[in-house]
Amino acid sequence: MTNAGFSHEIKHFTENYVSYGLRTHNSRVCSVCDIFTSEDYGFIPYAAVDSGNSTVASILRKMNDLGFEDEVRMMFVIDAVIMNANRHKNNFGFIIDNRTLGTLRTRIIAV
């Protein structure tokens, strides 16, 4: 089951997500999204700050330490509502300022 197409529901919960859709390219179905990084803003996956085995509780603790516990709680709720079976540490993370490398906000990927 794909989660493409759930963006209209998710936007009622948060603005911190990247909307994906399905497109055919060279006779293959591909998952696609608009670019959400730029010369000024980059993306670092959660896996960059937590490379070990993780539980929901350990992710919540780590994100609390980083100041993003509410955002990741919302991500887990949304995943449950849309039955997202593809959540992993490389498809959510942080939008950063490329000049300072400071974290600006979280971003849910693959929704």
Side-chain angles (χ1 to χ4, degrees):
M1 176 178 175
T2 179
N3 294 322
F6 281 103
S7 299
H8 55 283
E9 284 90 3
I10 293 168
K11 71 181 178 186
H12 296 291
F13 296 98
T14 181
E15 295 177 358
N16 291 331
Y17 69 96
V18 175
S19 178
Y20 274 73
L22 299 176
R23 185 176 304 150
T24 302
H25 179 71
N26 294 333
S27 300
R28 297 179 69 183
V29 176
C30 305
S31 177
V32 296
C33 72
D34 292 334
I35 190 163
F36 60 93
T37 59
S38 67
E39 196 171 303
D40 295 326
Y41 303 105
F43 173 75
I44 296 180
Y46 179 78
V49 299
D50 183 3
S51 61
N53 291 330
S54 301
T55 64
V56 170
S58 70
I59 291 171
L60 288 170
R61 279 192 302 275
K62 176 70 121 180
M63 292 299 272
N64 181 57
D65 293 345
L66 296 170
F68 295 109
E69 182 181 4
D70 289 343
E71 290 87 343
V72 81
R73 280 184 185 278
M74 181 59 68
M75 177 187 72
F76 289 139
V77 169
I78 292 168
D79 283 347
V81 168
I82 68 171
M83 296 183 286
N84 181 13
N86 188 40
R87 178 63 59 212
H88 54 80
K89 294 191 287 187
N90 283 308
N91 69 10
F92 71 101
F94 312 95
I95 299 297
I96 63 163
D97 182 316
N98 286 333
R99 290 179 303 271
T100 66
L101 300 182
T103 303
L104 300 174
R105 59 189 174 276
T106 60
R107 187 65 77 202
I108 300 171
I109 308 298
V111 176

